[in-house]
Amino acid sequence: MRILSGIQPTGRFHWGNYFGAIRQYIELQNGQDTAFYFIANLHALTTIRNRELLSQNTFDAAVDLLSLGLDPERATLFVQSDIPEVSELCWILMTTTPMSLLERCHAYKDKKSKGLTADAGLFTYPVLMAADILIYDSEIVPVGEDQKQHVEVCRDIAGSFNNSFGDSFIIPQAYIVKDTAKVPGLDGGKMSKSYGNSVEVFDDLKTQKKKIMRITTDSRPVESPKDPEGDHLFQLYSLFASPEQTQLLAERYRKGGFGYGEIKRELAELAEAYFATARKKRDELVSKPEYVKKILSDGAKRASEKAATVLTRIKKACGI
Ligand code: ADP
Ligand code: TRP
């Protein structure tokens, strides 16, 4: 089976991205399947219009993924735009994609409902995503809940092409990563870079601790018992703690007699220990940009072999 997923380089990864997506993607590299992961810089172009920022973010995303455990010996890592066949396939797919299908997609619909004008890039974003998936004959697409609709659209587009030109594409399946229980942000809402409530995985430790100390809590007196259920400080703590440590914290909550400051300091220590190896790896990789670039170009070579074969097959199917 071929697994494929893409990650947009729209900023540094936060705890929500890691626990909600990246951790599971990386684990999949250890099975029997072939895993392809790419950095979706063409998609990011729909929101980032700053050349230095986009290329820096793309490099940072590669370094972060490798630091967090993506192993280039087991998985193929590359940059989306290094495979030009994707853009060519995107056009071919657009010719068999009904407008009504794209009008239902949430990114475009949300923008329009706010009275904002969307550009064609945002409107056709799901077709590019379909091309990303179909060009490698991908079978399994691990994504978070928010991307499920786009994989459905990809299945529809592939089906519509197959109807017109005969069986040409493998119809992929979304694999909704487990544990995507929304990681809460500092204010208890969903952690997101757009809400200013996120903690970045590779924030320097001082900044990270400062953010953790800002986690909102209720103002009950220290001695009163507290309910761990639904408490976002408790939820964040449990991401980094062992089941035993989480159990102990739940008991402390129910007994009362502690201050939230104490828990936040413990959370900062747990998070520091949790990502200590990744931080070390990151320091090492940042000092070897050529090595990182080589991993990406080797990845692109492998991906483009597959992409070229599939594109030839598709062009033949539609008479180009
Ligand atoms: P942001 O909301 O910060 O812009 P993205 O939309 O770029 O994040 O998220 C990329 C992926 O990370 C999503 O597909 C989703 O699976 C995961 N993700 C993001 N935020 C969270 C969160 N708070 N909890 C769980 N998963 C998340
Ligand atoms: N649209 C996805 C996101 O924003 C990123 C992405 C682009 C992707 N192409 C893909 C994910 C193909 C899976 C498969 O998170």
Side-chain angles (χ1 to χ4, degrees):
M1 294 280 228
R2 185 181 302 275
I3 296 175
L4 168 122
S5 197
I7 298 181
Q8 287 202 51
T10 42
R12 301 304 300 280
F13 299 130
H14 53 67
W15 289 353
N17 299 139
Y18 178 72
F19 289 103
I22 296 169
R23 185 178 60 165
Q24 285 91 327
Y25 296 174
I26 291 177
E27 272 165 16
L28 287 169
Q29 76 188 359
N30 299 323
Q32 294 305 307
D33 306 306
T34 330
F36 270 21
Y37 296 118
F38 66 91
I39 299 159
N41 61 341
L42 294 173
H43 276 105
L45 205 50
T46 62
T47 48
I48 303 182
R49 306 233 162 87
N50 174 321
R51 106 173 62 90
E52 283 83 19
L53 186 65
L54 184 57
S55 69
Q56 185 62 46
N57 278 1
T58 304
F59 179 76
D60 278 339
V63 171
D64 287 359
L65 291 169
L66 293 166
S67 308
L68 289 167
L70 196 146
D71 177 355
E73 301 285 321
R74 291 173 188 265
T76 297
L77 177 67
F78 58 99
V79 176
Q80 184 183 30
S81 62
D82 283 342
I83 317 296
E85 287 87 350
V86 170
S87 302
E88 194 173 345
L89 180 63
C90 179
W91 171 257
I92 297 176
L93 295 178
M94 272 201 272
T95 63
T96 58
T97 303
M99 291 283 281
S100 56
L101 190 62
L102 300 182
E103 275 158 2
R104 287 202 298 272
C105 287
H106 59 71
Y108 170 73
K109 226 168 66 179
D110 291 353
K111 197 154 186 182
K112 227 177 143 221
S113 70
K114 288 188 189 129
L116 301 167
T117 45
D119 50 37
L122 186 72
F123 185 65
T124 53
Y125 167 125
V127 190
L128 180 59
M129 186 159 159
D132 285 327
I133 297 171
L134 299 174
I135 195 101
Y136 307 111
D137 281 340
S138 313
E139 291 160 287
I140 308 281
V141 186
V143 282
E145 193 64 43
D146 60 328
Q147 295 295 320
K148 197 173 151 193
Q149 183 190 39
H150 294 150
V151 181
E152 290 298 321
V153 167
C154 170
R155 290 164 57 87
D156 287 350
I157 294 177
S160 145
F161 187 96
N162 285 354
N163 273 339
S164 303
F165 299 109
D167 271 351
S168 310
F169 285 121
I170 291 179
I171 310 283
Q173 277 196 7
Y175 169 84
I176 307 299
V177 288
K178 329 181 265 320
D179 281 331
T180 15
K182 302 237 177 316
V183 174
L186 301 175
D187 56 359
K190 181 193 172 209
M191 184 177 286
S192 168
K193 61 180 160 302
S194 17
Y195 305 151
N197 65 355
S198 57
V199 183
E200 276 55 47
V201 172
F202 293 112
D203 265 340
D204 74 80
L205 293 171
K206 228 169 125 191
T207 310
Q208 190 159 89
K209 188 158 181 195
K210 262 199 198 144
K211 288 188 183 170
I212 292 171
M213 298 313 285
R214 273 181 25 221
I215 294 174
T216 55
T217 49
D218 60 44
S219 51
R220 265 179 285 183
V222 166
E223 59 281 3
S224 71
K226 299 163 180 80
D227 186 5
E229 285 307 313
D231 178 84
H232 55 284
L233 175 58
F234 181 80
Q235 275 172 276
L236 288 171
Y237 187 99
S238 60
L239 291 172
F240 298 100
S242 64
E244 295 74 30
Q245 285 170 314
T246 305
Q247 180 64 27
L248 276 175
L249 184 67
E251 284 163 21
R252 278 163 78 193
Y253 261 65
R254 293 196 186 99
K255 250 186 26 223
F258 68 90
Y260 286 119
E262 240 173 272
I263 310 296
K264 291 179 186 175
R265 278 188 289 276
E266 286 175 33
L267 169 59
E269 280 166 25
L270 284 174
E272 178 179 347
Y274 192 94
F275 288 119
T277 315
R279 267 179 204 282
K280 235 164 109 193
K281 183 93 199 269
R282 186 164 206 289
D283 290 342
E284 204 184 299
L285 290 170
V286 165
S287 67
K288 295 193 289 191
E290 291 315 315
Y291 171 71
V292 176
K293 285 180 192 154
K294 174 87 170 61
I295 290 175
L296 293 174
S297 68
D298 287 351
K301 230 179 265 162
R302 267 182 269 165
S304 86
E305 273 170 32
K306 181 70 193 170
T309 317
V310 175
L311 186 62
T312 305
R313 185 177 83 217
I314 298 309
K315 284 166 95 170
K316 204 167 150 202
C318 60
I320 293 179

